[in-house]
Amino acid sequence: MTKSILLVGVGGQGAILVSKILTEGLVRAGFDVKMSEVHGMAQRGGSVSTQVRYGDKVYSPIIGEGAADILVAFERMEAVRYASYLKPDGIALISDKEIMPMSVASGSAEYPAGCLEAMQEKFSTVVVEADRISREIGNSRCQNIVLFGTLTRVLKLDQIDWELVMKEVLPIKILEVNLEAFKRGREAV
């Protein structure tokens, strides 16, 4: 059986790094894994999505609408933007973080209210206070790894030594704070 995980966020949030750690761990566990990235205008704060599919045999990295088992959103509005890709019985894992797009920052539009509530009405939803947790740790840039920790808990793939994978993928200078972020993310569920 193939599982499909869609990770979405805004450029610079680390969605691609999380998908790479996830993919590496799944490969080490013996799964066939396919990953795809879409950067869009990532360098300018635009939408970023990565698709990870794993199982005994995976033929394509592409997740169609209504086919994702898990949607991991690093930002609230991105969860709503990609909600159509989630299966009706899928799980939405959402950071409570709001990042104002240029149209909102310039005053030409308003940030939509009720993003989390809209997702909670339609899907099984886990909201993670990744921003607060990462600030408590002392590094707001590790919100992505907080969410990754929560994701590994939701996936129930505890046979994988995720910390070992992180030690081999992440640079040593950011490893310790990210291991703490991972642990706190797992505790958040």
Side-chain angles (χ1 to χ4, degrees):
M1 177 172 204
T2 301
K3 288 279 193 185
S4 300
I5 303 166
L6 178 61
L7 299 98
V8 301
V10 173
Q13 284 193 288
I16 293 171
L17 176 61
V18 166
S19 65
K20 288 179 179 177
I21 297 168
L22 175 63
T23 298
E24 181 64 28
L26 292 168
V27 167
R28 290 178 185 203
F31 292 105
D32 184 22
V33 184
K34 303 287 187 279
M35 182 183 119
S36 172
E37 307 169 10
V38 177
H39 297 271
M41 294 291 284
Q43 294 82 2
R44 296 195 171 103
S47 188
V48 173
S49 69
T50 65
Q51 301 177 15
V52 177
R53 301 187 71 227
Y54 71 96
D56 294 330
K57 185 66 183 155
V58 179
Y59 296 98
S60 169
I62 305 302
I63 301 171
E65 288 201 19
D69 295 290
I70 299 177
L71 170 66
V72 181
F74 293 76
E75 196 276 337
R76 289 178 179 204
M77 190 167 51
E78 294 301 312
V80 175
R81 182 188 318 267
Y82 287 92
S84 65
Y85 286 87
L86 194 56
K87 289 179 178 178
D89 63 343
I91 299 171
L93 178 59
I94 306 170
S95 171
D96 64 342
K97 180 80 173 167
E98 289 181 355
I99 296 177
M100 300 301 148
M102 288 301 294
S103 59
V104 173
S106 70
S108 63
E110 289 186 31
Y111 192 92
C115 292
L116 292 177
E117 295 79 5
M119 293 299 290
Q120 290 168 328
E121 284 177 22
K122 262 189 116 171
F123 304 103
S124 174
T125 303
V126 177
V127 178
V128 181
E129 294 179 334
D131 186 42
R132 178 189 58 79
I133 292 169
S134 64
R135 281 187 280 113
E136 287 175 3
I137 294 168
N139 187 335
S140 63
R141 293 184 49 94
C142 63
Q143 293 175 41
N144 60 332
I145 303 298
V146 171
L147 279 169
F148 176 63
T150 305
L151 173 62
T152 63
R153 192 76 183 270
V154 169
L155 287 172
K156 298 179 179 150
L157 291 171
D158 297 327
Q159 76 272 26
I160 298 171
D161 187 343
W162 294 110
E163 291 187 14
L164 177 63
V165 175
M166 290 171 58
K167 287 176 184 176
E168 294 178 5
V169 172
L170 296 174
I172 192 74
K173 67 181 181 178
I174 63 168
L175 181 60
E176 194 169 318
V177 72
N178 280 290
L179 288 173
E180 179 63 21
F182 175 77
K183 179 180 149 213
R184 294 285 302 276
R186 285 186 59 82
E187 293 169 354
V189 179

